[in-house]
Amino acid sequence: MTEISIRERITIALLASLLCAFIMLRLPVLAEERPESPDDLHSLLEKSLSVVEIDKEIARIGQEKDALLLTMTEAEKQLAAQELAIDGKRKQAGDVLRAYYMGERDMLYFSLLTMDSWTKFFTLLDYLDIIISQDKHTLNAYIGQYRDLQERITMLEGKQAELAAVEDRLNIQRDRVLALESQLEGELAGRSDSDRIRLLIEQLTGFWESTGLKEVRAYFGALSDSMGKLPGWIQNNKDLMEIKGLQYTIRMPEDKLNEFLREQDERFNDLSFRFEDDSITASGKRDQIEISITGHYSLVQEPRNGLLFHVDELLFNGFMLPDTTRKALEEEFDLGFYPGLITPFLKAKSVEVKDGDLIIKLGVSL
């Protein structure tokens, strides 16, 4: 029994020694930092840009809310003043209606029949005409002010609904930015290189705000100006337009569009448009800035017939910018195409991108 116990102890000791040796051999490997993934770093930097841009959207919506509240305050003051003004007219209109209801005006009409001279008859008739005209004026004034009051109430209700929508948008963007900030902090926490990454984030966002955004806006501004000139250029390049009866088709190859844009602005020497199925991509690099814009056209009728360009994806130096940035640029710069600028009777009927061509079908509006 004692001999077996000694063997067991020896075996356990040997196993423990082997385990310790194994752990000591593995320690340097376990202590090594996990290699940094380029995708992880790219994601962190991209989120940091989104935080900056969504913060701008929050500020913009906040300004919109303040302006709306100011408008509502003024509307409420006007409504209160209108309610005071209508009170007097309401009483006057009530007196007039009461007089007709109680038969007071009937007595005057009856008096005409009892006049014993034409002079008195016409005098009373003139008096009646004055009373009736005044009654009519009083009622019309009340009706006019009442309608104005209703319009102001409706306008105020619309502003209240608009304010509620603005507040919803504000809350959504606040939630988004808080979630992104939380993700960033969570991913940075515990990393030995977090200080270095924070410095990279600061450098990237600083470069975007000081240089990148200005350059992107400059490209969008140049594109907007150029698109306004495109209908006239097409008119002077008849080979781009096919006419069959009352149907017109504009077929714009990507190389022709690039040729046109480079004629308009030298910055397009560094930017090229590519037509792919149902999408258009403009990309290029200049100095330290690389930009890629991908979007599509949609047919619109209001406020005027044409093709509206929607930015589906915007990349700055390989980092995707959030939808708030795309929307803000869309609202600021009109990249649409309006056939009415070629000739007033033309209207866009459809648009597609196919086989390297932008194809716009037009019809005649008589």
Side-chain angles (χ1 to χ4, degrees):
M1 189 75 173
T2 304
E3 188 177 344
I4 294 172
S5 177
I6 291 170
R7 286 178 182 174
E8 287 176 348
R9 287 176 186 177
I10 292 170
T11 303
I12 291 169
L14 287 171
L15 288 172
S17 298
L18 288 170
L19 181 60
C20 287
F22 177 77
I23 290 172
M24 292 302 292
L25 288 170
R26 290 290 297 166
L27 274 176
V29 177
L30 295 172
E32 287 180 3
E33 274 192 25
R34 178 176 56 87
E36 182 182 279
S37 165
D39 290 341
D40 289 346
L41 179 58
H42 187 278
S43 175
L44 286 167
L45 294 174
E46 192 168 84
K47 284 174 184 174
S48 71
L49 267 186
S50 292
V51 167
V52 169
E53 284 300 289
I54 295 172
D55 271 337
K56 288 180 187 175
E57 178 68 3
I58 288 170
R60 191 189 69 79
I61 297 174
Q63 291 173 353
E64 184 182 341
K65 178 183 175 181
D66 291 343
L68 191 55
L69 284 170
L70 189 63
T71 303
M72 286 178 66
T73 301
E74 186 60 32
E76 286 169 351
K77 287 179 181 177
Q78 292 177 356
L79 182 60
Q82 191 68 26
E83 286 175 337
L84 286 174
I86 204 173
D87 278 343
K89 294 295 180 184
R90 186 184 290 115
K91 184 177 182 306
Q92 291 175 10
D95 291 341
V96 168
L97 293 173
R98 192 179 302 107
Y100 281 97
Y101 181 75
M102 299 298 292
E104 294 174 14
R105 299 296 186 261
D106 293 345
M107 294 297 295
L108 291 173
Y109 287 116
F110 181 74
S111 297
L112 285 172
L113 302 176
T114 62
M115 291 295 101
D116 54 6
S117 70
W118 287 109
T119 302
K120 291 179 181 178
F121 177 85
F122 284 114
T123 300
L124 182 58
L125 191 62
D126 288 341
Y127 178 61
L128 267 172
D129 185 54
I130 292 170
I131 291 174
I132 293 167
S133 296
Q134 186 62 37
D135 289 345
K136 185 177 179 182
H137 175 75
T138 299
L139 291 172
N140 285 341
Y142 171 72
I143 291 168
Q145 288 197 353
Y146 178 78
R147 286 175 177 167
D148 189 44
L149 179 66
Q150 292 300 111
E151 287 175 3
R152 290 185 188 279
I153 290 171
T154 301
M155 182 185 74
L156 189 56
E157 288 173 346
K159 294 292 182 186
Q160 288 169 341
E162 191 178 343
L163 178 63
V166 166
E167 287 180 335
D168 284 345
R169 281 166 39 216
L170 192 58
N171 290 332
I172 288 169
Q173 298 305 337
R174 281 175 176 162
D175 289 344
R176 282 183 71 186
V177 84
L178 286 173
L180 275 173
E181 287 174 339
S182 177
Q183 286 177 25
L184 270 173
E185 288 304 316
E187 290 175 28
L188 286 170
R191 291 187 65 134
S192 59
D193 60 349
S194 61
D195 289 340
R196 183 178 69 86
I197 293 176
R198 289 181 195 278
L199 181 60
L200 288 174
I201 287 173
E202 185 179 337
Q203 290 173 343
L204 174 63
T205 55
F207 181 64
W208 162 249
E209 293 196 291
S210 65
T211 307
L213 180 58
K214 290 178 184 176
E215 190 70 9
V216 169
R217 292 183 74 257
Y219 271 111
F220 271 80
L223 277 171
S224 180
D225 291 341
S226 299
M227 291 306 293
K229 299 172 185 174
L230 183 58
W233 188 80
I234 290 173
Q235 199 170 20
N236 294 328
N237 289 265
K238 306 292 186 184
D239 57 311
L240 299 176
M241 188 180 293
E242 303 170 4
I243 303 173
K244 291 183 180 179
L246 297 178
Q247 300 299 316
Y248 292 68
T249 302
I250 296 172
R251 192 176 295 274
M252 173 78 72
E254 61 184 37
D255 60 334
K256 280 289 186 180
L257 181 61
N258 285 312
E259 176 190 327
F260 160 73
L261 290 171
R262 286 162 188 165
E263 287 176 8
Q264 308 306 312
D265 195 306
E266 64 177 10
R267 73 178 63 245
F268 294 125
N269 292 331
D270 304 308
L271 195 75
S272 295
F273 276 77
R274 299 191 313 276
F275 293 160
E276 300 168 355
D277 287 349
D278 299 324
S279 72
I280 300 171
T281 298
S283 59
K285 185 175 183 180
R286 184 168 118 172
D287 299 330
Q288 295 176 288
I289 295 175
E290 186 175 355
I291 295 171
S292 177
I293 306 162
T294 301
H296 70 280
Y297 278 108
S298 69
L299 181 66
V300 294
Q301 301 297 340
E302 298 296 337
R304 58 174 169 165
N305 172 268
L307 305 175
L308 195 63
F309 188 77
H310 305 276
V311 183
D312 299 321
E313 184 181 90
L314 177 60
L315 297 177
F316 163 72
N317 284 0
F319 298 103
M320 186 178 295
L321 292 159
D323 57 307
T324 55
T325 308
R326 301 198 309 266
K327 184 180 177 184
L329 289 167
E330 276 184 28
E331 290 177 354
E332 185 177 359
F333 301 102
D334 185 1
L335 306 185
F337 175 77
Y338 302 99
L341 296 177
I342 298 175
T343 184
F345 60 79
L346 283 180
K347 283 196 172 185
K349 299 294 183 183
S350 68
V351 59
E352 67 174 326
V353 180
K354 186 178 179 182
D355 299 329
D357 289 340
L358 173 65
I359 304 166
I360 305 168
K361 292 190 180 296
L362 311 170
V364 175
S365 176
L366 300 176

